[in-house]
C-alpha cells in the first residue's frame, strides 16, 4: 500500500486484523509520521522502475496516497501496468460547496496565489510543499503546516500543527488572526472544519482542485469498499 493518509492507516489496521499481510510505503516527508499497523517501508522507490521491482512479491497494490500526490499515483499506474499487478486507488471524495459557502475553485497553487487580493489576511492551509507558490504575493499569511516549509512569504506567521482540527479551534483561529481568505486544497475528508468556520463567517475560500487521475484507473471511495474487495474473495486471495 502506498500510504501517507489517515485512510491508509485505517486500511492497514483493518487488513492486518483480517490476517492480510500489508506493507505500507511512506514517502518519508514527515519526521515523526503516525505509523500504520503491519510492515512499513520509507522513502521513494526511484521512479516506475523501482516500484515495479518492489511489486515482485505483491498480490495487489493499493494507492492510498493523498489526492494531491499525483506523481506517485502516475508511477503506480505505470508499475502496475508493467508488472500486471492488480491495483486500485483509494481516494476519498472531494468537498462540495453548500449554502453559504463562498468558494472559488482554481486548478493550481499558482492560480490560487494569483487570486489573492492585495492586503488580504490569508490562512494558508495547502501543506508545507505548496508554500513556495505564495512567496511573492502581497498579503499577510498565517501558514499552517505539519513541518517547517523551506520558504515563507515575507509577511507570514508559521503555525506548526497537525490536523484534523476541531471546529471551535478553527473559529478561534480565523477570528484571532482576523483572516479574510482561506486557501486550501480540495483534499476531502476530515479536515473540513476550516471550511465550515469560513462559511459561518462568510469568509471566501480559494480551493485548489485535485489533479486528474490516470485514465482508466479503478477508484474506490471508502476503506470499507477496499476491505470488501480484498477480503475474503478479492484479488489478494485469487
Ligand atoms: P508526489 O509528488 O506524488 O510524489 C513524489 C515522489 O515521492 C514520488 O515520485 C515517489 O518517489 C515519492 N513518494 C510519494 N509517495 C510515496 C509513498 N507513499 N511511498 C514511497 N515513495 C513515495 O507526492 P507528494 O505530494 O510529495 O506526497 C508525498 C507523500 O505525502 C504521499 O505518500 C502522500 O500520500 C503524502 N501526503 C501528501 C500531501 C499533499 O498535499 N501532496 C498531503 C498529505 C500527505 P519515487 O519516484 O522515488 O518512488
Amino acid at each position: 500500500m502506498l500510504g501517507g493518509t489517515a485512510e491508509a492507516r485505517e486500511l492497514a489496521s483493518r487488513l492486518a486484523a483480517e490476517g492480510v499481510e500489508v506493507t505500507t510505503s511512506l514517502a518519508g516527508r514527515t519526521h515523526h509520521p503516525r505509523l500504520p499497523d503491519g510492515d512499513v517501508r520509507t522513502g521513494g522507490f526511484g521512479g516506475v522502475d523501482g516500484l515495479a521491482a518492489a511489486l515482485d512479491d505483491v498480490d495487489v497494490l493499493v494507492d492510498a496516497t493523498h489526492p494531491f500526490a499525483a506523481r506517485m499515483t502516475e508511477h503506480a499506474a505505470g508499475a502496475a501496468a508493467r508488472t500486471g499487478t492488480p491495483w486500485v486507488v483509494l481516494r476519498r471524495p472531494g468537498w462540495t460547496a453548500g449554502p453559504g459557502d463562498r468558494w472559488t475553485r482554481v486548478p493550481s497553487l499558482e492560480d490560487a496565489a494569483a487570486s489573492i487580493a492585495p492586503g488580504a489576511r490569508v490562512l494558508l492551509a495547502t501543506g508545507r510543499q505548496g508554500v513556495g507558490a505564495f512567496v511573492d504575493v502581497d498579503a499577510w499569511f498565517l501558514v499552517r503546516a505539519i513541518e517547517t516549509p523551506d520558504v515563507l512569504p515575507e509577511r507570514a506567521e508559521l503555525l506548526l500543527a497537525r490536523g484534523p482540527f476541531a471546529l471551535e479551534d478553527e473559529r478561534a483561529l480565523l477570528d484571532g488572526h482576523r483572516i479574510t481568505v482561506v486557501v486550501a486544497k480540495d483534499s476531502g475528508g476530515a479536515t473540513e472544519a476550516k471550511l465550515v468556520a469560513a462559511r459561518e463567517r462568510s469568509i471566501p475560500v480559494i480551493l485548489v482542485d485535485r489533479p486528474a487521475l490516470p485514465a482508466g484507473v479503478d477508484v474506490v471511495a471508502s476503506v470499507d469498499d477496499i476491505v470488501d474487495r480484498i477480503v475474503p474473495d478479492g484479488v489478494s486471495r485469487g
Side-chain angles (χ1 to χ4, degrees):
M1 170 150 51
L2 304 171
T5 58
E7 298 88 274
R9 281 194 304 281
E10 188 189 341
L11 180 57
S13 305
R14 296 273 300 278
L15 292 177
E18 295 282 353
V20 177
E21 277 183 57
V22 188
T23 300
T24 298
S25 173
L26 300 177
R29 302 267 190 276
T30 37
H31 290 106
H32 301 287
R34 291 179 180 149
L35 290 176
D37 290 341
D39 293 334
V40 177
R41 51 110 25 232
T42 302
F45 294 93
V48 174
D49 292 347
L51 179 57
L55 294 179
D56 196 30
D57 198 21
V58 165
D59 294 316
V60 58
L61 173 65
V62 179
D63 176 345
T65 54
H66 191 270
F68 282 80
R71 202 168 147 79
M72 188 69 258
T73 296
E74 211 169 284
H75 290 181
R82 188 182 302 173
T83 57
T85 308
W87 82 295
V88 55
V89 173
L90 170 59
R91 191 105 330 155
R92 60 199 181 207
W95 290 310
T96 309
D101 282 322
R102 297 178 59 200
W103 295 0
T104 303
R105 287 187 174 272
V106 293
S108 69
L109 290 166
E110 290 69 26
D111 288 298
S115 309
I116 296 171
R121 294 181 62 84
V122 184
L123 170 60
L124 186 61
T126 50
R128 173 172 63 88
Q129 296 182 86
V131 177
F134 297 87
V135 286
D136 293 327
V137 176
D138 175 21
W140 179 88
F141 289 88
L142 178 62
V143 176
R144 181 163 69 186
I146 297 174
E147 293 186 4
T148 306
D150 295 337
V151 288
L152 282 176
E154 199 174 316
R155 293 189 291 129
E157 182 178 324
L158 177 62
L159 174 62
L160 293 179
R162 194 196 300 253
F165 303 100
L167 179 55
E168 65 208 59
D169 293 337
E170 298 293 55
R171 289 172 176 145
L173 196 75
L174 297 186
D175 294 344
H177 291 87
R178 294 178 287 114
I179 296 298
T180 61
V181 58
V182 173
V183 181
K185 290 175 175 169
D186 184 10
S187 304
T191 52
E192 68 179 330
K194 57 181 174 280
L195 303 178
V196 176
R199 178 194 308 148
E200 291 172 350
R201 282 151 186 73
S202 210
I203 291 175
V205 175
I206 300 171
L207 206 59
V208 182
D209 278 334
R210 298 167 167 209
L213 284 162
V217 58
D218 183 9
V219 185
V220 173
S222 77
V223 169
D224 279 345
D225 290 345
I226 294 251
V227 172
D228 286 348
R229 295 270 288 270
I230 295 179
V231 182
D233 298 309
V235 272
S236 72
R237 299 212 176 159

PDB file of all heavy atoms in Angstrom, residues 2-5 25-27 29 41 43-47 65-66 68-72 75 129 185, ligand 1:
ATOM      1  N   LEU A   2       0.544   2.158  -0.891  1.00  0.00           N
ATOM      2  CA  LEU A   2       1.204   3.455  -0.895  1.00  0.00           C
ATOM      3  C   LEU A   2       0.399   4.337   0.041  1.00  0.00           C
ATOM      4  O   LEU A   2      -0.798   4.552  -0.174  1.00  0.00           O
ATOM      5  CB  LEU A   2       1.218   4.022  -2.312  1.00  0.00           C
ATOM      6  CG  LEU A   2       1.861   3.091  -3.350  1.00  0.00           C
ATOM      7  CD1 LEU A   2       1.634   3.624  -4.761  1.00  0.00           C
ATOM      8  CD2 LEU A   2       3.338   2.900  -3.063  1.00  0.00           C
ATOM      9  N   GLY A   3       1.025   4.807   1.106  1.00  0.00           N
ATOM     10  CA  GLY A   3       0.272   5.442   2.191  1.00  0.00           C
ATOM     11  C   GLY A   3       0.550   6.925   2.325  1.00  0.00           C
ATOM     12  O   GLY A   3       0.831   7.611   1.361  1.00  0.00           O
ATOM     13  N   GLY A   4       0.437   7.396   3.559  1.00  0.00           N
ATOM     14  CA  GLY A   4       0.649   8.814   3.832  1.00  0.00           C
ATOM     15  C   GLY A   4      -0.643   9.546   4.141  1.00  0.00           C
ATOM     16  O   GLY A   4      -0.669  10.769   4.176  1.00  0.00           O
ATOM     17  N   THR A   5      -1.730   8.790   4.373  1.00  0.00           N
ATOM     18  CA  THR A   5      -3.025   9.396   4.695  1.00  0.00           C
ATOM     19  C   THR A   5      -3.662   8.658   5.879  1.00  0.00           C
ATOM     20  O   THR A   5      -3.264   7.529   6.204  1.00  0.00           O
ATOM     21  CB  THR A   5      -3.997   9.274   3.499  1.00  0.00           C
ATOM     22  OG1 THR A   5      -4.137   7.876   3.171  1.00  0.00           O
ATOM     23  CG2 THR A   5      -3.509  10.013   2.277  1.00  0.00           C
ATOM     24  N   SER A  25       3.972   1.815   2.374  1.00  0.00           N
ATOM     25  CA  SER A  25       5.108   2.615   1.947  1.00  0.00           C
ATOM     26  C   SER A  25       4.844   4.087   2.244  1.00  0.00           C
ATOM     27  O   SER A  25       3.806   4.621   1.864  1.00  0.00           O
ATOM     28  CB  SER A  25       5.330   2.430   0.444  1.00  0.00           C
ATOM     29  OG  SER A  25       6.329   3.323   0.010  1.00  0.00           O
ATOM     30  N   LEU A  26       5.793   4.730   2.925  1.00  0.00           N
ATOM     31  CA  LEU A  26       5.693   6.166   3.202  1.00  0.00           C
ATOM     32  C   LEU A  26       6.796   6.901   2.452  1.00  0.00           C
ATOM     33  O   LEU A  26       7.897   6.370   2.281  1.00  0.00           O
ATOM     34  CB  LEU A  26       5.853   6.424   4.705  1.00  0.00           C
ATOM     35  CG  LEU A  26       4.817   5.748   5.615  1.00  0.00           C
ATOM     36  CD1 LEU A  26       5.149   6.023   7.082  1.00  0.00           C
ATOM     37  CD2 LEU A  26       3.413   6.241   5.287  1.00  0.00           C
ATOM     38  N   ALA A  27       6.481   8.119   2.039  1.00  0.00           N
ATOM     39  CA  ALA A  27       7.463   8.892   1.269  1.00  0.00           C
ATOM     40  C   ALA A  27       8.633   9.329   2.146  1.00  0.00           C
ATOM     41  O   ALA A  27       9.733   9.549   1.663  1.00  0.00           O
ATOM     42  CB  ALA A  27       6.779  10.111   0.646  1.00  0.00           C
ATOM     43  N   ARG A  29       8.438  12.151   4.110  1.00  0.00           N
ATOM     44  CA  ARG A  29       8.462  13.620   4.180  1.00  0.00           C
ATOM     45  C   ARG A  29       8.402  14.131   5.630  1.00  0.00           C
ATOM     46  O   ARG A  29       9.009  15.127   5.951  1.00  0.00           O
ATOM     47  CB  ARG A  29       7.270  14.213   3.437  1.00  0.00           C
ATOM     48  CG  ARG A  29       7.190  13.826   2.000  1.00  0.00           C
ATOM     49  CD  ARG A  29       7.877  14.835   1.099  1.00  0.00           C
ATOM     50  NE  ARG A  29       7.531  14.494  -0.266  1.00  0.00           N
ATOM     51  CZ  ARG A  29       8.164  13.579  -1.002  1.00  0.00           C
ATOM     52  NH1 ARG A  29       9.222  12.960  -0.499  1.00  0.00           N
ATOM     53  NH2 ARG A  29       7.770  13.293  -2.212  1.00  0.00           N
ATOM     54  N   ARG A  41       7.731   0.571   5.088  1.00  0.00           N
ATOM     55  CA  ARG A  41       8.995   0.925   4.445  1.00  0.00           C
ATOM     56  C   ARG A  41       8.914   2.415   4.095  1.00  0.00           C
ATOM     57  O   ARG A  41       7.826   2.954   3.893  1.00  0.00           O
ATOM     58  CB  ARG A  41       9.306   0.053   3.211  1.00  0.00           C
ATOM     59  CG  ARG A  41       8.230  -0.067   2.212  1.00  0.00           C
ATOM     60  CD  ARG A  41       8.332   0.581   0.843  1.00  0.00           C
ATOM     61  NE  ARG A  41       9.628   0.851   0.302  1.00  0.00           N
ATOM     62  CZ  ARG A  41       9.951   2.060  -0.142  1.00  0.00           C
ATOM     63  NH1 ARG A  41       9.090   3.073  -0.052  1.00  0.00           N
ATOM     64  NH2 ARG A  41      11.111   2.266  -0.694  1.00  0.00           N
ATOM     65  N   GLY A  43      10.579   5.961   2.033  1.00  0.00           N
ATOM     66  CA  GLY A  43      11.425   6.575   1.010  1.00  0.00           C
ATOM     67  C   GLY A  43      10.953   6.240  -0.392  1.00  0.00           C
ATOM     68  O   GLY A  43      10.274   5.225  -0.601  1.00  0.00           O
ATOM     69  N   GLY A  44      11.310   7.095  -1.347  1.00  0.00           N
ATOM     70  CA  GLY A  44      10.923   6.883  -2.744  1.00  0.00           C
ATOM     71  C   GLY A  44      11.482   5.580  -3.286  1.00  0.00           C
ATOM     72  O   GLY A  44      12.467   5.033  -2.768  1.00  0.00           O
ATOM     73  N   PHE A  45      10.850   5.090  -4.355  1.00  0.00           N
ATOM     74  CA  PHE A  45      11.274   3.828  -4.975  1.00  0.00           C
ATOM     75  C   PHE A  45      12.300   4.064  -6.080  1.00  0.00           C
ATOM     76  O   PHE A  45      12.895   3.119  -6.578  1.00  0.00           O
ATOM     77  CB  PHE A  45      10.057   3.110  -5.583  1.00  0.00           C
ATOM     78  CG  PHE A  45       9.060   2.658  -4.571  1.00  0.00           C
ATOM     79  CD1 PHE A  45       7.981   3.464  -4.229  1.00  0.00           C
ATOM     80  CD2 PHE A  45       9.185   1.425  -3.932  1.00  0.00           C
ATOM     81  CE1 PHE A  45       7.047   3.053  -3.295  1.00  0.00           C
ATOM     82  CE2 PHE A  45       8.260   1.007  -2.998  1.00  0.00           C
ATOM     83  CZ  PHE A  45       7.191   1.827  -2.674  1.00  0.00           C
ATOM     84  N   GLY A  46      12.429   5.317  -6.483  1.00  0.00           N
ATOM     85  CA  GLY A  46      13.283   5.595  -7.634  1.00  0.00           C
ATOM     86  C   GLY A  46      12.512   5.464  -8.939  1.00  0.00           C
ATOM     87  O   GLY A  46      13.009   4.848  -9.882  1.00  0.00           O
ATOM     88  N   GLY A  47      11.311   5.995  -8.965  1.00  0.00           N
ATOM     89  CA  GLY A  47      10.533   6.007 -10.200  1.00  0.00           C
ATOM     90  C   GLY A  47       9.806   4.702 -10.475  1.00  0.00           C
ATOM     91  O   GLY A  47       9.759   3.800  -9.632  1.00  0.00           O
ATOM     92  N   THR A  65      -2.540   7.093  -1.361  1.00  0.00           N
ATOM     93  CA  THR A  65      -1.834   8.363  -1.139  1.00  0.00           C
ATOM     94  C   THR A  65      -2.822   9.521  -1.123  1.00  0.00           C
ATOM     95  O   THR A  65      -3.995   9.376  -1.469  1.00  0.00           O
ATOM     96  CB  THR A  65      -0.782   8.602  -2.241  1.00  0.00           C
ATOM     97  OG1 THR A  65      -1.421   8.519  -3.515  1.00  0.00           O
ATOM     98  CG2 THR A  65       0.351   7.599  -2.163  1.00  0.00           C
ATOM     99  N   HIS A  66      -2.289  10.672  -0.759  1.00  0.00           N
ATOM    100  CA  HIS A  66      -3.096  11.895  -0.719  1.00  0.00           C
ATOM    101  C   HIS A  66      -3.569  12.251  -2.133  1.00  0.00           C
ATOM    102  O   HIS A  66      -2.845  12.020  -3.102  1.00  0.00           O
ATOM    103  CB  HIS A  66      -2.214  13.010  -0.151  1.00  0.00           C
ATOM    104  CG  HIS A  66      -2.950  14.251   0.199  1.00  0.00           C
ATOM    105  ND1 HIS A  66      -3.138  15.267  -0.709  1.00  0.00           N
ATOM    106  CD2 HIS A  66      -3.551  14.638   1.338  1.00  0.00           C
ATOM    107  CE1 HIS A  66      -3.815  16.237  -0.123  1.00  0.00           C
ATOM    108  NE2 HIS A  66      -4.076  15.887   1.121  1.00  0.00           N
ATOM    109  N   PHE A  68      -3.456  14.762  -3.761  1.00  0.00           N
ATOM    110  CA  PHE A  68      -2.547  15.641  -4.498  1.00  0.00           C
ATOM    111  C   PHE A  68      -1.186  14.997  -4.767  1.00  0.00           C
ATOM    112  O   PHE A  68      -0.311  15.638  -5.350  1.00  0.00           O
ATOM    113  CB  PHE A  68      -2.388  16.974  -3.758  1.00  0.00           C
ATOM    114  CG  PHE A  68      -3.585  17.872  -3.978  1.00  0.00           C
ATOM    115  CD1 PHE A  68      -4.753  17.682  -3.257  1.00  0.00           C
ATOM    116  CD2 PHE A  68      -3.553  18.870  -4.938  1.00  0.00           C
ATOM    117  CE1 PHE A  68      -5.872  18.478  -3.482  1.00  0.00           C
ATOM    118  CE2 PHE A  68      -4.655  19.672  -5.161  1.00  0.00           C
ATOM    119  CZ  PHE A  68      -5.816  19.476  -4.440  1.00  0.00           C
ATOM    120  N   ALA A  69      -1.010  13.752  -4.384  1.00  0.00           N
ATOM    121  CA  ALA A  69       0.263  13.057  -4.664  1.00  0.00           C
ATOM    122  C   ALA A  69       0.199  12.458  -6.071  1.00  0.00           C
ATOM    123  O   ALA A  69       0.250  11.238  -6.267  1.00  0.00           O
ATOM    124  CB  ALA A  69       0.534  12.000  -3.595  1.00  0.00           C
ATOM    125  N   ALA A  70       0.104  13.327  -7.068  1.00  0.00           N
ATOM    126  CA  ALA A  70      -0.175  12.889  -8.448  1.00  0.00           C
ATOM    127  C   ALA A  70       0.966  12.092  -9.061  1.00  0.00           C
ATOM    128  O   ALA A  70       0.748  11.172  -9.851  1.00  0.00           O
ATOM    129  CB  ALA A  70      -0.472  14.113  -9.314  1.00  0.00           C
ATOM    130  N   ARG A  71       2.177  12.455  -8.697  1.00  0.00           N
ATOM    131  CA  ARG A  71       3.339  11.775  -9.298  1.00  0.00           C
ATOM    132  C   ARG A  71       3.388  10.318  -8.851  1.00  0.00           C
ATOM    133  O   ARG A  71       3.619   9.408  -9.656  1.00  0.00           O
ATOM    134  CB  ARG A  71       4.592  12.514  -8.841  1.00  0.00           C
ATOM    135  CG  ARG A  71       5.771  12.339  -9.693  1.00  0.00           C
ATOM    136  CD  ARG A  71       6.806  13.402  -9.229  1.00  0.00           C
ATOM    137  NE  ARG A  71       8.151  12.895  -9.381  1.00  0.00           N
ATOM    138  CZ  ARG A  71       8.791  12.861 -10.539  1.00  0.00           C
ATOM    139  NH1 ARG A  71       8.205  13.299 -11.630  1.00  0.00           N
ATOM    140  NH2 ARG A  71      10.015  12.395 -10.607  1.00  0.00           N
ATOM    141  N   MET A  72       3.153  10.129  -7.548  1.00  0.00           N
ATOM    142  CA  MET A  72       3.186   8.756  -7.032  1.00  0.00           C
ATOM    143  C   MET A  72       2.098   7.913  -7.694  1.00  0.00           C
ATOM    144  O   MET A  72       2.326   6.763  -8.069  1.00  0.00           O
ATOM    145  CB  MET A  72       2.999   8.781  -5.504  1.00  0.00           C
ATOM    146  CG  MET A  72       3.202   7.452  -4.836  1.00  0.00           C
ATOM    147  SD  MET A  72       4.922   6.877  -4.861  1.00  0.00           S
ATOM    148  CE  MET A  72       4.942   5.671  -6.161  1.00  0.00           C
ATOM    149  N   HIS A  75       3.114   6.950 -11.142  1.00  0.00           N
ATOM    150  CA  HIS A  75       4.102   5.862 -11.095  1.00  0.00           C
ATOM    151  C   HIS A  75       3.428   4.533 -10.756  1.00  0.00           C
ATOM    152  O   HIS A  75       3.818   3.488 -11.282  1.00  0.00           O
ATOM    153  CB  HIS A  75       5.189   6.174 -10.055  1.00  0.00           C
ATOM    154  CG  HIS A  75       6.087   7.296 -10.468  1.00  0.00           C
ATOM    155  ND1 HIS A  75       7.145   7.747  -9.716  1.00  0.00           N
ATOM    156  CD2 HIS A  75       6.079   8.079 -11.582  1.00  0.00           C
ATOM    157  CE1 HIS A  75       7.746   8.736 -10.336  1.00  0.00           C
ATOM    158  NE2 HIS A  75       7.110   8.973 -11.460  1.00  0.00           N
ATOM    159  N   GLN A 129       4.691  21.749   1.272  1.00  0.00           N
ATOM    160  CA  GLN A 129       5.302  21.747  -0.054  1.00  0.00           C
ATOM    161  C   GLN A 129       4.706  22.798  -0.991  1.00  0.00           C
ATOM    162  O   GLN A 129       5.306  23.126  -2.012  1.00  0.00           O
ATOM    163  CB  GLN A 129       5.150  20.371  -0.707  1.00  0.00           C
ATOM    164  CG  GLN A 129       5.881  19.278   0.038  1.00  0.00           C
ATOM    165  CD  GLN A 129       5.737  17.925  -0.664  1.00  0.00           C
ATOM    166  OE1 GLN A 129       6.486  17.597  -1.558  1.00  0.00           O
ATOM    167  NE2 GLN A 129       4.759  17.147  -0.242  1.00  0.00           N
ATOM    168  N   LYS A 185      -6.416  23.055  -0.260  1.00  0.00           N
ATOM    169  CA  LYS A 185      -6.572  22.083  -1.349  1.00  0.00           C
ATOM    170  C   LYS A 185      -7.869  21.322  -1.140  1.00  0.00           C
ATOM    171  O   LYS A 185      -8.271  21.089   0.010  1.00  0.00           O
ATOM    172  CB  LYS A 185      -5.427  21.067  -1.298  1.00  0.00           C
ATOM    173  CG  LYS A 185      -4.067  21.606  -1.668  1.00  0.00           C
ATOM    174  CD  LYS A 185      -3.054  20.497  -1.425  1.00  0.00           C
ATOM    175  CE  LYS A 185      -1.669  20.871  -1.866  1.00  0.00           C
ATOM    176  NZ  LYS A 185      -0.667  19.884  -1.392  1.00  0.00           N
TER     177      LYS A 185
HETATM  178  P1  LIG B   1       4.218  13.023  -5.138  1.00  0.00           P
HETATM  179  O1  LIG B   1       4.624  14.398  -5.565  1.00  0.00           O
HETATM  180  O2  LIG B   1       3.153  12.357  -5.898  1.00  0.00           O
HETATM  181  O3  LIG B   1       5.477  12.062  -5.112  1.00  0.00           O
HETATM  182  C1  LIG B   1       6.807  12.478  -5.390  1.00  0.00           C
HETATM  183  C2  LIG B   1       7.723  11.310  -5.158  1.00  0.00           C
HETATM  184  O4  LIG B   1       7.768  10.963  -3.777  1.00  0.00           O
HETATM  185  C3  LIG B   1       7.265  10.033  -5.852  1.00  0.00           C
HETATM  186  O5  LIG B   1       7.661  10.024  -7.206  1.00  0.00           O
HETATM  187  C4  LIG B   1       7.949   8.972  -5.019  1.00  0.00           C
HETATM  188  O6  LIG B   1       9.330   8.910  -5.293  1.00  0.00           O
HETATM  189  C5  LIG B   1       7.848   9.564  -3.620  1.00  0.00           C
HETATM  190  N1  LIG B   1       6.644   9.098  -2.906  1.00  0.00           N
HETATM  191  C6  LIG B   1       5.441   9.703  -2.787  1.00  0.00           C
HETATM  192  N2  LIG B   1       4.616   8.990  -2.034  1.00  0.00           N
HETATM  193  C7  LIG B   1       5.295   7.881  -1.669  1.00  0.00           C
HETATM  194  C8  LIG B   1       4.976   6.765  -0.886  1.00  0.00           C
HETATM  195  N3  LIG B   1       3.765   6.632  -0.290  1.00  0.00           N
HETATM  196  N4  LIG B   1       5.934   5.804  -0.720  1.00  0.00           N
HETATM  197  C9  LIG B   1       7.145   5.926  -1.310  1.00  0.00           C
HETATM  198  N5  LIG B   1       7.511   6.980  -2.044  1.00  0.00           N
HETATM  199  C10 LIG B   1       6.601   7.951  -2.230  1.00  0.00           C
HETATM  200  O7  LIG B   1       3.801  13.018  -3.626  1.00  0.00           O
HETATM  201  P2  LIG B   1       3.856  14.164  -2.528  1.00  0.00           P
HETATM  202  O8  LIG B   1       2.794  15.165  -2.832  1.00  0.00           O
HETATM  203  O9  LIG B   1       5.275  14.605  -2.381  1.00  0.00           O
HETATM  204  O10 LIG B   1       3.395  13.359  -1.255  1.00  0.00           O
HETATM  205  C11 LIG B   1       4.288  12.501  -0.573  1.00  0.00           C
HETATM  206  C12 LIG B   1       3.511  11.687   0.440  1.00  0.00           C
HETATM  207  O11 LIG B   1       2.850  12.553   1.359  1.00  0.00           O
HETATM  208  C13 LIG B   1       2.439  10.804  -0.192  1.00  0.00           C
HETATM  209  O12 LIG B   1       2.610   9.494   0.328  1.00  0.00           O
HETATM  210  C14 LIG B   1       1.134  11.427   0.225  1.00  0.00           C
HETATM  211  O13 LIG B   1       0.143  10.455   0.495  1.00  0.00           O
HETATM  212  C15 LIG B   1       1.507  12.233   1.462  1.00  0.00           C
HETATM  213  N6  LIG B   1       0.738  13.485   1.573  1.00  0.00           N
HETATM  214  C16 LIG B   1       0.762  14.389   0.545  1.00  0.00           C
HETATM  215  C17 LIG B   1       0.024  15.540   0.673  1.00  0.00           C
HETATM  216  C18 LIG B   1      -0.020  16.535  -0.457  1.00  0.00           C
HETATM  217  O14 LIG B   1      -0.766  17.538  -0.318  1.00  0.00           O
HETATM  218  N7  LIG B   1       0.661  16.318  -1.556  1.00  0.00           N
HETATM  219  C19 LIG B   1      -0.705  15.787   1.840  1.00  0.00           C
HETATM  220  C20 LIG B   1      -0.693  14.843   2.869  1.00  0.00           C
HETATM  221  C21 LIG B   1       0.049  13.698   2.724  1.00  0.00           C
HETATM  222  P3  LIG B   1       9.947   7.830  -6.317  1.00  0.00           P
HETATM  223  O15 LIG B   1       9.615   8.317  -7.679  1.00  0.00           O
HETATM  224  O16 LIG B   1      11.408   7.851  -5.983  1.00  0.00           O
HETATM  225  O17 LIG B   1       9.318   6.493  -5.997  1.00  0.00           O
END
